[in-house]
Amino acid sequence: MELQHHYSLKKLHTFGIDCFAENYCEISTKDELNDVIQSIKTLPRPILFLGGGSNVLFRADFSGTIIKISLFGKQILHENEEEVLIYCAAGENWHSIVEWTVQNGWGGIENLALIPGNCGAAPLQNIGAYGIEICQSLVNVHWFELNTKTEKIITNEECNFGYRDSIFKRDLKDKGIVTGITLRLSKNPTPHYNYADVQSELKEQEIVNPTIKDIFNAVVQIRSRKLPNPNEIGNAGSFFKNPIISAIQFTNLQSQYPEIPHYSQNDGRIKIPAGWLIEKAGWKGFRQGDAGVSSKQALVLVNYNNTTGEEIYQLSQNILDDIFNKFNIHLEREVNIV
Ligand code: NAP
């Protein structure tokens, strides 16, 4: 294993901020993974495992060691007339896997098209969109445990999935590496399209009985229209989580803002779109220097050209404070701050 020094992170994360890792290496095979793990105690700390870099903000240069996980490969593990079990290595691009499954007519993850990032990161925050979450298709996670230096299988149930949440963000945080995931997909899928955006896209295309390919295409159209493309303007997708508040707090809020969009949860609480709160507070399209709030989607913070991680962080803090002052809601960052 060879460490590189003062390594540019600009192209390794979708914010595209000009910053550096003091030490850097990339893992492309299981042998390289073993090598790195054997010598992990000697590597300069802190250690950060990086996937597609689509959910991270570097506030400054990284002083420890960044290890990029580039394990590739996908395969069919098992199939019958009803379903197929596939394995995807952690470094596989998530959207390309979704595209592959849809092309094959396997349903279950088509609503998750164009979610940025790699397969390894997908279970960490239980990625979800348009009424579907990865936990509904995920069979297990292949997990390399740092302590024991062995690979384990973590079952769906053991992942303790929640809304954009899992055991990997809690008890297992920093304790291992996702090396791959297994998904179970249906050969007789039932398309899910109860979200307004998907329904209106299908209506516009005059599609009445959509296939999973139609849903996939609709989601690609919506996301391409609504979200800034990180290849054109640096960003990490939704910067904040959608808050879930109590019914009492919601009633108070609704009396002030009768038009507030809201979605009831099974536990009686109410989910509010963070993007609506940020837009209502006047931040949509805000720009200070090269840091800004997307004019397409208020939930997305952007790097117009050459901003710093600290400037983006400060902007996010100003938004958090303002939303709290105006709505009495504590927004949480979805993006990992490093
Ligand atoms: P959107 O469609 O404008 O929805 C905003 C909020 O309203 C979300 O919290 C969404 O819940 C909720 N919502 C809308 N229609 C709903 C319905 N019919 N039933 C229940 N809840 C409903 O959101 P957007 O910002 O444009 O994002 C589109 C989709 O991509 C959303 O599902 C969003 O969660 C998802 N997304 C996921 C990630 C990620 O996994 N990291 C990142 C960005 C966006 P849900 O959040 O439960 O869908």
Side-chain angles (χ1 to χ4, degrees):
M1 181 206 45
E2 201 178 313
L3 277 188
Q4 305 200 51
H5 304 289
H6 198 62
Y7 195 89
S8 173
L9 298 171
K10 194 173 168 68
K11 292 196 174 135
L12 294 183
H13 72 299
T14 57
F15 255 121
I17 286 166
D18 203 8
C19 55
F20 292 83
E22 209 159 296
N23 307 282
Y24 172 84
C25 71
E26 187 169 353
I27 291 172
S28 310
T29 64
K30 286 271 174 90
D31 284 348
E32 284 176 2
L33 173 65
N34 273 317
D35 255 20
V36 167
I37 300 301
Q38 292 312 324
S39 51
I40 201 141
K41 286 210 167 111
T42 66
L43 295 176
R45 309 245 147 193
I47 291 176
L48 175 74
F49 295 101
L50 192 65
S54 60
N55 201 32
V56 62
L57 174 71
F58 292 101
R59 277 181 81 173
D61 288 347
F62 191 79
S63 60
T65 307
I66 288 192
I67 303 174
K68 181 164 165 61
I69 309 295
S70 299
L71 295 167
F72 294 110
K74 57 178 193 268
Q75 67 181 109
I76 296 171
L77 298 176
H78 168 78
E79 66 181 313
N80 58 30
E81 277 177 14
E82 277 108 46
E83 60 183 32
V84 56
L85 235 61
I86 59 169
Y87 174 80
C88 311
E92 289 289 332
N93 174 267
W94 173 258
H95 177 70
S96 304
I97 291 292
V98 177
E99 208 168 19
W100 175 58
T101 62
V102 169
Q103 276 163 4
N104 281 290
W106 306 330
I109 53 173
E110 58 279 0
N111 295 38
L112 311 185
L114 273 194
I115 291 193
N118 294 345
C119 288
L124 269 56
Q125 57 159 336
N126 185 19
I127 56 168
Y130 305 109
I132 293 290
E133 293 178 320
I134 190 179
C135 66
Q136 292 163 261
S137 303
L138 188 127
V139 178
N140 61 44
V141 171
H142 291 232
W143 174 251
F144 199 101
E145 196 173 62
L146 296 177
N147 216 3
T148 57
K149 301 190 169 100
T150 52
E151 193 165 70
K152 289 186 160 183
I153 302 287
I154 303 200
T155 64
N156 180 311
E157 207 176 37
E158 289 166 344
C159 290
N160 285 344
F161 285 121
Y163 182 65
R164 306 285 179 271
D165 195 24
S166 73
I167 193 166
F168 307 105
K169 288 175 96 173
R170 296 173 183 275
D171 298 7
L172 294 185
K173 192 169 162 46
D174 298 329
K175 299 213 168 104
I177 306 163
V178 175
T179 56
I181 57 174
T182 308
L183 301 173
R184 175 180 281 114
L185 302 170
S186 170
K187 289 192 177 175
N188 307 298
T190 310
H192 292 268
Y193 48 100
N194 63 336
Y195 270 46
D197 275 1
V198 180
Q199 284 180 352
S200 56
E201 185 66 34
L202 292 170
K203 197 169 169 204
E204 199 157 293
Q205 294 175 27
E206 298 179 3
I207 296 170
V208 183
N209 291 311
T211 61
I212 56 165
K213 193 148 199 268
D214 295 327
I215 305 282
F216 172 87
N217 288 336
V219 170
V220 168
Q221 289 294 329
I222 298 164
R223 293 190 73 111
S224 307
R225 210 171 35 233
K226 273 181 89 170
L227 296 166
N229 181 346
N231 294 326
E232 290 161 13
I233 180 164
N235 73 85
S238 304
F239 199 93
F240 304 99
K241 290 187 195 176
N242 294 310
I244 300 176
I245 60 175
S246 70
I248 295 174
Q249 190 178 2
F250 173 69
T251 309
N252 288 336
L253 210 55
Q254 199 183 30
S255 64
Q256 286 179 67
Y257 306 98
E259 76 284 19
I260 187 167
H262 55 281
Y263 302 94
S264 301
Q265 305 299 288
N266 291 337
D267 60 6
R269 294 183 303 154
I270 315 283
K271 184 164 61 190
I272 309 289
W276 184 87
L277 296 168
I278 298 167
E279 186 170 346
K280 189 78 185 169
W283 288 97
K284 192 174 182 183
F286 173 88
R287 178 171 179 170
Q288 187 163 37
D290 273 346
V293 180
S294 168
S295 51
K296 281 182 159 188
Q297 162 63 282
L299 206 49
V300 179
L301 302 190
V302 292
N303 169 18
Y304 278 103
N305 183 26
N306 204 17
T307 191
T308 62
E310 189 55 27
E311 283 168 344
I312 295 276
Y313 182 82
Q314 278 312 323
L315 172 59
S316 73
Q317 191 58 50
N318 293 344
I319 294 171
L320 292 182
D321 294 344
D322 193 40
I323 298 302
F324 183 69
N325 290 336
K326 289 191 168 122
F327 303 104
N328 196 27
I329 290 180
H330 274 296
L331 285 187
E332 269 183 70
R333 296 180 180 92
E334 183 175 317
V335 168
N336 294 315
I337 311 295
V338 177

